[in-house]
Amino acid sequence: MFLEKIFVLFPIRIAFPLVLFLVFLIVSLFEGYFEKEHAYRQIEQDHKKRVCNLAVRLQDLSEYFISKKDVFFIERRIADLSVDPFFKVILISDPEGKVIVASKKILKGDSFEAVLKNVIGSSVKDLSFIDQLREKPGMKCFISSDRNMIIAISPVLFPKEKNIRPSNTGFVFMAYDLKGIKEEHKKDIISMLISELGVMLILLGITYIFFSKFIAERIEKLFDSVQEISKGNLDVNIKLYGNDEFAVIARVIDNLVKRLRRFIRYDYLTGLFNRFSIENQIKDMLKKSPENGRSILIFMDIDNFKEINDTFGHNVGDLVLRLFAKRLKNTVKKGIVGRLGGDEFIIFIQDLGNLNIEETLEKWMEVLSSPYRLKNNIIDISVTAGVSVHEGKGGDFYKLLKESDIALYYGKKQGKNMFIIFNDQIRIKEEKRIRLTNLIKHALDKKEFYLVYQPIYDLKTEKIVSVEALLRWKNSEGENIPPSDFIPILEETGLIKDVGRWVIEEVCKQLKIWRELGIKDITISVNIDIQQILEENFVETVESIISRNCKSFTSLKFEITETEAMKFPDIVIQTLKNLNSIGIEISIDDFGTGYSSLSYLKTMPVTYIKIDRSFIKDLPEDKDDRILTKAIVELSKNFGYRVIAEGVETEDQLTYLREISCDMVQGFYFCKPVPADELEKILYNQVPVKRI
């Protein structure tokens, strides 16, 4: 519908007056038309009645004076009537049909019927009614529609004279200009219509004023308030008094805004400020910060919080978060404390440079890390924090948040349970990490990765029995990037899975080449990442790669670090068993540096234990390293594992390892990692290890 479209397309405070005006306009037009028609009809009826009455009186008067043979008085009466300018014709005809008296002398003597046809026009098709009026006298009074005139015809009886004619009937004829009289009254009608229109305008004005005052203003206030709310301004209070619908709606919106204000500004779980509120408040405080001030943003999270959820359940995890938030709020006396989400919290402080950040954070972390007592559990937690500091006026919230997040990241990498203050050294490291991250995304497609191999010697046979494949990267800028720099990036970006598959495929191709060259007794160890193990169909993928390339399952070994193996022990054990079932032997790398459970270790299909280089580097001088290394060797042999010591660089280290019955060794003392072609020469000319 038209009105419905108007109300939908336009605001009601515009649509309602518009519809009101349209209704007024339509009503005014219709009323004006009908009023005008009614006025004209009334004029027609009034003047028709008047003309007809005049015709009757003139008839009576004419018959009387004609019987007296006094036509002069009739002429005087017609002349009096003709003073009215709207009488076009007044005449009297005799029984012979000739005009004997007329308001226009020119018509005297003319044929009555001819005059009648000329005046009446086509509104009367024939004049048979004249004969009817002669036979049966009576008046005919009507309005000629085509000429817009009132016509009155009345028979007049003349005295009978002998031998003149059979009829003694003449006629009184009047023609009155209806159009003229309408024009005469037109101004009066227009004045009347204008008066009525004025009354309606006044009513319209009163209605509009009432609407504007009691409805439009309230709608506008509601609308403006809702607009402000939509822009994020929740400091809105709609004051509409009364019990009408608008006041009720205003009160409902106010209540909703209050509730929304709380939900938007405060974290539902901990009651601390949430991300939205933190951001707005810190931005405002940074704008108002003094020249000699200092803005400190601390990004803090709970270490290994996922383990709490996994171990005790999310309901306990939520309770820990609430207790932590309460303790954090009580610990931080001044400043803004909020929760970003999960186990991440923000602290923002402004001071004049007199706060010792290191001492303050140490005290806070000590308080925050003390045990949390729940109903049936005591939970120990630790926290890691990243700190960003802006000196002087101003400051950018997003920059502070980014810097503190980066500092937190480096704190996590360095072992957690600490705080790191962002500085230029971290900035340089992060810029390098970002640059390498961007470069490494295309390194595999550009064939920038390559493999080197380091021999593993058997101390009994004094020969190379295996080699470890090590990944290297020379980027597009010609830099040789250390594995310690790019391996973590591969893990963070998830590219370790694609690169890991590529390494396995390249190793299998290399095994095939060596078989064709006659080098058959060498196995190759490949490092695999936990992300590869967690991949769906990882075992099938490995089986497919080996089948396509070297077809020798027993020539390939996989190494996984102790730390990685313990992340998802159940999944890792099952996957390693599946790999072992197709002939692939498993080594636990960097043994002794993690926190492996012997109960898990004994269930793993492990063939080799590799002692981390950190235990080897100070042998045989360091007593603790001697004890630990010997214990690892004895423990491994008791489990039936063979032991490989990596990082052997001196003759004394080698001698000690022989003494404690270590099975195999690798390290710079024998050979650095070398390309495949260089290793082939060593394998062809293999001689017993005589450097001992």
Side-chain angles (χ1 to χ4, degrees):
M1 291 179 63
F2 175 70
L3 291 179
E4 184 180 359
K5 288 182 178 179
I6 290 179
F7 278 108
V8 171
L9 291 175
F10 299 98
I12 192 169
R13 62 186 189 279
I14 296 175
F16 184 83
L18 180 61
V19 170
L20 193 65
F21 174 76
L22 289 174
V23 170
F24 164 77
L25 182 63
I26 293 169
V27 169
S28 297
L29 290 174
F30 274 97
E31 187 191 23
Y33 173 78
F34 288 118
E35 283 287 335
K36 184 193 74 171
E37 292 299 313
H38 175 73
Y40 282 149
R41 281 197 299 272
Q42 192 64 43
I43 289 171
E44 289 177 355
Q45 295 301 322
D46 291 346
H47 284 79
K48 179 182 176 183
K49 184 177 181 181
R50 173 172 171 264
V51 170
C52 292
N53 289 334
L54 288 174
V56 169
R57 289 199 292 271
L58 185 60
Q59 173 199 356
D60 293 340
L61 188 68
S62 298
E63 287 181 347
Y64 176 78
F65 283 101
I66 288 174
S67 65
K68 299 292 184 182
K69 296 183 180 181
D70 187 0
V71 180
F72 175 74
F73 188 82
I74 298 173
E75 289 177 343
R76 289 286 305 272
R77 180 58 182 157
I78 290 175
D80 291 340
L81 291 175
S82 297
V83 173
D84 186 339
F86 299 108
F87 272 113
K88 293 296 183 183
V89 176
I90 303 175
L91 59 82
I92 298 175
S93 67
D94 62 12
E96 295 180 354
K98 298 294 182 180
V99 176
I100 59 173
V101 181
S103 59
K104 295 181 180 179
K105 293 182 179 181
I106 193 172
L107 297 177
K108 193 172 182 179
D110 285 353
S111 169
F112 168 64
E113 291 187 1
V115 174
L116 191 63
K117 287 180 180 180
N118 183 50
V119 174
I120 296 176
S122 62
S123 61
V124 178
K125 294 181 179 179
D126 58 62
L127 299 177
S128 59
F129 70 92
I130 298 297
D131 295 331
Q132 294 174 1
L133 290 176
R134 284 194 179 102
E135 294 174 1
K136 190 176 181 179
M139 173 174 281
K140 187 173 182 62
C141 191
F142 62 93
I143 296 174
S144 172
S145 58
D146 61 333
R147 298 297 174 90
N148 208 355
M149 288 189 296
I150 300 172
I151 304 297
I153 303 174
S154 182
V156 177
L157 294 177
F158 280 74
K160 283 189 177 182
E161 295 181 7
K162 295 179 178 181
N163 302 323
I164 295 179
R165 57 176 304 183
S167 174
N168 64 340
T169 303
F171 293 96
V172 171
F173 175 75
M174 289 185 178
Y176 194 81
D177 184 8
L178 193 58
K179 182 178 179 181
I181 198 66
K182 286 180 180 179
E183 289 292 327
E184 179 74 14
H185 286 81
K186 186 175 182 179
K187 291 181 180 180
D188 295 334
I189 293 172
I190 291 174
S191 297
M192 177 191 68
L193 292 177
I194 290 174
S195 299
E196 292 181 357
L197 181 64
V199 172
M200 291 191 68
L201 279 173
I202 292 170
L203 292 174
L204 177 67
I206 293 171
T207 304
Y208 181 74
I209 291 170
F210 176 83
F211 170 79
S212 299
K213 183 66 178 175
F214 297 103
I215 299 177
E217 285 184 7
R218 297 168 86 78
I219 292 175
E220 188 170 2
K221 187 174 287 188
L222 278 173
F223 178 76
D224 292 342
S225 300
V226 171
Q227 286 286 87
E228 286 298 310
I229 293 170
S230 69
K231 294 175 184 177
N233 179 15
L234 297 181
D235 296 320
V236 174
N237 185 14
I238 312 172
K239 293 183 179 180
L240 288 182
Y241 302 103
N243 294 314
D244 61 285
E245 290 85 348
F246 299 110
V248 172
I249 293 171
R251 286 195 290 271
V252 170
I253 292 175
D254 272 344
N255 290 332
L256 288 174
V257 168
K258 287 176 183 176
R259 294 173 63 185
L260 186 62
R261 192 183 299 143
R262 175 159 185 83
F263 280 119
I264 288 179
R265 291 181 177 177
Y266 297 96
D267 176 57
Y268 74 97
L269 180 64
T270 63
L272 299 177
F273 292 121
N274 60 15
R275 167 67 184 265
F276 173 82
S277 187
I278 292 169
E279 183 174 333
N280 287 335
Q281 290 190 68
I282 293 177
K283 284 180 178 178
D284 288 340
M285 292 178 70
L286 288 171
K287 289 178 183 177
K288 301 171 185 176
S289 58
E291 291 286 352
N292 59 341
R294 184 173 62 167
S295 299
I296 305 164
L297 192 144
I298 303 165
F299 195 156
M300 181 182 292
D301 82 352
I302 301 172
D303 297 330
N304 304 316
F305 182 73
K306 184 178 182 300
E307 294 180 5
I308 297 176
N309 281 332
D310 293 342
T311 305
F312 300 101
H314 286 272
N315 58 328
V316 175
D318 289 347
L319 182 56
V320 170
L321 287 174
R322 285 197 290 269
L323 293 174
F324 180 85
K326 184 178 180 181
R327 192 178 290 183
L328 181 63
K329 182 67 176 175
N330 292 334
T331 303
V332 181
K333 302 299 182 184
K334 296 180 181 180
I336 296 173
V337 180
R339 180 187 178 213
L340 282 186
D343 62 324
E344 297 177 338
F345 296 85
I346 286 288
I347 303 163
F348 182 75
I349 303 169
Q350 283 186 327
D351 75 331
L352 298 176
N354 51 1
L355 178 69
N356 189 314
I357 300 173
E358 291 83 356
E359 287 184 5
T360 302
L361 276 171
E362 285 175 0
K363 291 178 182 177
W364 288 356
M365 294 178 74
E366 183 180 352
V367 173
L368 294 171
S369 300
S370 59
Y372 288 76
R373 299 181 183 276
L374 307 180
K375 288 183 179 180
N376 301 317
N377 300 291
I378 296 177
I379 299 177
D380 291 312
I381 68 170
S382 63
V383 295
T384 302
V387 184
S388 177
V389 181
H390 174 78
E391 302 282 351
K393 187 175 178 61
D396 182 79
F397 166 75
Y398 299 108
K399 182 182 178 183
L400 287 171
L401 184 64
K402 178 183 176 182
E403 290 179 351
S404 60
D405 191 16
I406 292 169
L408 175 66
Y409 166 81
Y410 280 97
K412 293 287 188 183
K413 284 189 68 176
Q414 293 179 32
K416 306 177 182 178
N417 193 24
M418 65 177 68
F419 62 87
I420 300 290
I421 300 176
F422 188 86
N423 54 34
D424 290 337
Q425 185 179 0
I426 293 177
R427 180 181 286 107
I428 292 169
K429 284 183 181 179
E430 184 63 13
E431 288 173 355
K432 180 181 178 182
R433 188 179 73 87
I434 293 171
R435 183 176 66 86
L436 292 180
T437 300
N438 292 329
L439 291 173
I440 209 169
K441 289 177 181 177
H442 307 287
L444 192 59
D445 294 335
K446 294 181 178 179
K447 299 181 179 180
E448 295 174 359
F449 291 116
Y450 63 96
L451 297 177
V452 292
Y453 301 87
Q454 187 174 39
I456 299 173
Y457 290 86
D458 189 309
L459 290 179
K460 286 185 178 179
T461 63
E462 298 182 348
K463 290 185 178 181
I464 300 172
V465 292
S466 182
V467 295
E468 182 180 359
L470 299 168
L471 183 65
R472 296 292 184 265
W473 177 33
K474 186 175 183 178
N475 66 27
S476 57
E477 297 177 359
E479 298 175 284
N480 282 303
I481 311 300
S484 58
D485 285 350
F486 73 80
I487 294 295
I489 296 175
L490 288 176
E491 292 173 343
E492 290 170 13
T493 58
L495 291 171
I496 192 70
K497 293 181 286 188
D498 295 332
V499 175
R501 282 194 294 271
W502 175 84
V503 170
I504 295 171
E505 192 143 5
E506 290 298 305
V507 165
C508 287
K509 291 177 182 177
Q510 190 60 55
L511 279 169
K512 183 179 179 182
I513 293 171
W514 284 349
R515 296 291 180 272
E516 292 172 353
L517 293 174
I519 304 171
K520 298 180 180 180
D521 298 328
I522 299 297
T523 60
I524 301 181
S525 295
V526 175
N527 292 284
I528 57 173
D529 187 80
I530 188 65
Q531 293 185 46
Q532 292 174 265
I533 292 177
L534 296 177
E535 254 192 312
E536 190 176 359
N537 301 324
F538 174 64
V539 177
E540 289 80 357
T541 301
V542 171
E543 193 172 2
S544 174
I545 292 172
I546 295 174
S547 299
R548 284 199 315 270
N549 294 283
C550 60
K551 296 183 175 57
S552 177
F553 290 87
T554 57
S555 298
L556 190 65
K557 297 177 182 177
F558 282 162
E559 295 184 10
I560 181 170
T561 65
E562 181 186 14
T563 304
E564 294 283 281
M566 288 299 103
K567 287 182 177 177
F568 302 94
D570 294 331
I571 298 175
V572 170
I573 289 171
Q574 186 57 52
T575 303
L576 295 183
K577 283 181 178 179
N578 293 339
L579 290 169
N580 195 247
S581 67
I582 63 174
I584 297 174
E585 293 183 329
I586 307 299
S587 298
I588 296 296
D589 197 10
D590 298 341
F591 188 82
T593 60
Y595 301 94
S596 60
S597 168
L598 294 178
S599 62
Y600 281 117
L601 187 61
K602 71 180 183 180
T603 60
M604 287 185 180
V606 176
T607 305
Y608 302 94
I609 294 292
K610 295 189 75 172
I611 304 175
D612 187 67
R613 66 184 68 248
S614 62
F615 296 101
I616 305 300
K617 65 177 182 176
D618 293 327
L619 288 178
E621 292 82 7
D622 190 285
K623 179 183 176 181
D624 293 335
D625 284 342
R626 288 201 310 271
I627 295 172
L628 287 171
T629 304
K630 185 177 180 180
I632 292 171
V633 172
E634 290 176 353
L635 177 66
S636 299
K637 287 184 175 294
N638 289 334
F639 273 103
Y641 307 142
R642 301 196 70 192
V643 183
I644 304 171
E646 54 184 354
V648 178
E649 298 182 358
T650 68
E651 185 175 337
D652 290 339
Q653 291 170 350
L654 183 60
T655 301
Y656 180 75
L657 291 170
R658 275 186 179 279
E659 289 175 0
I660 62 174
S661 301
C662 183
D663 297 301
M664 287 172 277
V665 291
Q666 72 180 99
F668 286 5
Y669 178 72
F670 306 101
C671 182
K672 293 182 178 181
V674 294
D677 56 352
E678 207 172 311
L679 182 62
E680 289 167 11
K681 297 175 184 177
I682 297 173
L683 294 174
Y684 273 127
N685 302 306
Q686 186 168 171
V687 294
V689 183
K690 295 299 183 182
R691 295 187 62 179
I692 303 172

